[in-house]
């Protein structure tokens, strides 16, 4: 499999340690190319330019929330899977995401 055949995963988290940990773990899988971002604006540029297979995003971020990012991604392409993750156990956030149909 050459580099262009790899699935593309975007990881978005404002915490560098979390980004680096996820990158190190996923980058070991030969079938994936992993790109990390600390904010949403760069991610949307990447999504609009290429074939993204999945996005992993933190929910609680300073620029925009992961839920808002998910909405922006799905406005552009509703077929891109987005996995929401958080270090904060907040039932209200989970309920908000479910009510939005995600």
């Amino acid at each position: 499999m050459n580099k262009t055949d790899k699935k593309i995963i975007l990881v978005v988290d404002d915490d560098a340690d979390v980004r680096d940990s996820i990158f190190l773990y996923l980058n070991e899988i030969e079938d994936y190319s992993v790109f990390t971002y600390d904010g949403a604006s760069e991610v949307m540029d990447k999504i609009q330019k290429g074939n993204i297979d999945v996005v992993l995003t933190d929910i609680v971020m300073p620029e925009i929330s992961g839920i808002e990012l998910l909405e922006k991604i799905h406005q552009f392409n509703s077929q891109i899977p987005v996995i929401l993750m958080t270090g904060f156990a907040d039932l209200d956030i989970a309920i908000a995401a479910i009510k939005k149909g995600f």
Side-chain angles (χ1 to χ4, degrees):
M1 172 177 285
N2 65 43
K3 189 164 179 88
T4 58
D5 294 336
K6 291 185 174 190
K7 303 288 184 187
I8 298 174
I9 299 174
L10 306 184
V11 177
V12 189
D13 200 305
D14 58 320
D15 185 323
D17 292 335
V18 172
R19 277 193 321 270
D20 293 345
S21 295
I22 294 171
F23 174 82
L24 289 172
Y25 180 76
L26 293 176
N27 202 45
E28 291 181 7
I29 304 169
E30 291 182 17
D31 294 347
Y32 299 110
S33 290
V34 182
F35 299 89
T36 63
Y37 301 91
D38 64 358
S41 58
E42 298 167 335
V43 172
M44 289 309 299
D45 289 342
K46 180 75 173 174
I47 287 171
Q48 292 171 358
K49 290 179 184 174
N51 296 322
I52 306 305
D53 294 290
V54 66
V55 177
L56 282 76
T57 183
D58 186 17
I59 293 176
V60 180
M61 296 185 292
E63 186 181 327
I64 69 168
S65 74
I67 293 173
E68 291 170 310
L69 177 59
L70 175 133
E71 290 173 333
K72 287 179 180 263
I73 291 168
H74 282 179
Q75 285 172 356
F76 179 75
N77 181 345
S78 64
Q79 300 303 306
I80 298 173
V82 178
I83 298 171
L84 298 171
M85 55 188 181
T86 186
F88 301 99
D90 188 332
L91 186 58
D92 292 334
I93 291 173
I95 291 170
I98 291 168
K99 283 183 177 179
K100 290 183 182 283
F102 307 122

